[in-house]
Amino acid sequence: QVRLVESGGGSVQAGGSLTLSCTASTDTFTTSCMAWFRQAPGKEREKVASISSNGVTGYANSLQGRFTISRNNAQNTLYLQMNSLKPEDAAMYYCAASPSAIRICWFLAATQYAYWGQGTQVTVSS
């Protein structure tokens, strides 16, 4: 059974940084699209960033360059470096993997990601 396990969430003050990690239990996704999503209470799930197997990235416009997605295929690990955090970044963050291996993974909708982690909570205080 494929598992995605996120870690690295926590509580920070506004302006601080966090790095989220997501480790896959298999190397199945080394050639696939992976992404980070987030969902805050009472809000819809939002796609934050995506990355293809060869490193082509995409980001939500609202992030204004504060987040960086990366992956280490040798370690089956996905990362999200989050800088200059704002209270509105507070949410449960989920990593996801898709069977798709397209070049621009940003085009994939959430429904096209077949595997999801359990989430890691990010809290940002003002």
Side-chain angles (χ1 to χ4, degrees):
Q1 182 177 357
V2 175
R3 292 183 63 215
L4 300 176
V5 180
E6 302 100 332
S7 61
S11 297
V12 296
Q13 291 188 331
S17 298
L18 283 173
T19 300
L20 306 183
S21 300
C22 170
T23 301
S25 60
T26 171
D27 62 0
T28 301
F29 304 118
T30 57
T31 59
S32 301
C33 291
M34 298 193 74
W36 288 98
F37 291 79
R38 68 185 180 187
Q39 188 167 21
K43 295 187 176 182
E44 293 186 354
R45 182 173 51 190
E46 175 188 18
K47 185 167 50 179
V48 174
S50 67
I51 187 167
S52 68
S53 61
N54 59 0
V56 177
T57 58
Y59 297 93
N61 290 335
S62 61
L63 298 180
Q64 299 176 322
R66 298 181 294 116
F67 291 10
T68 302
I69 189 172
S70 61
R71 65 194 295 170
N72 184 326
N73 288 335
Q75 297 183 347
N76 302 330
T77 303
L78 178 73
Y79 301 98
L80 185 68
Q81 174 68 44
M82 305 185 295
N83 298 325
S84 303
L85 282 162
K86 303 177 180 180
E88 52 264 39
D89 294 318
M92 185 72 80
Y93 282 71
Y94 301 91
C95 73
S98 169
S100 176
I102 63 173
R103 182 173 179 271
I104 304 178
C105 298
W106 186 255
F107 294 151
L108 294 180
T111 53
Q112 294 173 284
Y113 285 87
Y115 304 97
W116 294 80
Q118 82 290 349
T120 186
Q121 183 70 45
V122 172
T123 303
V124 184
S125 57
S126 58

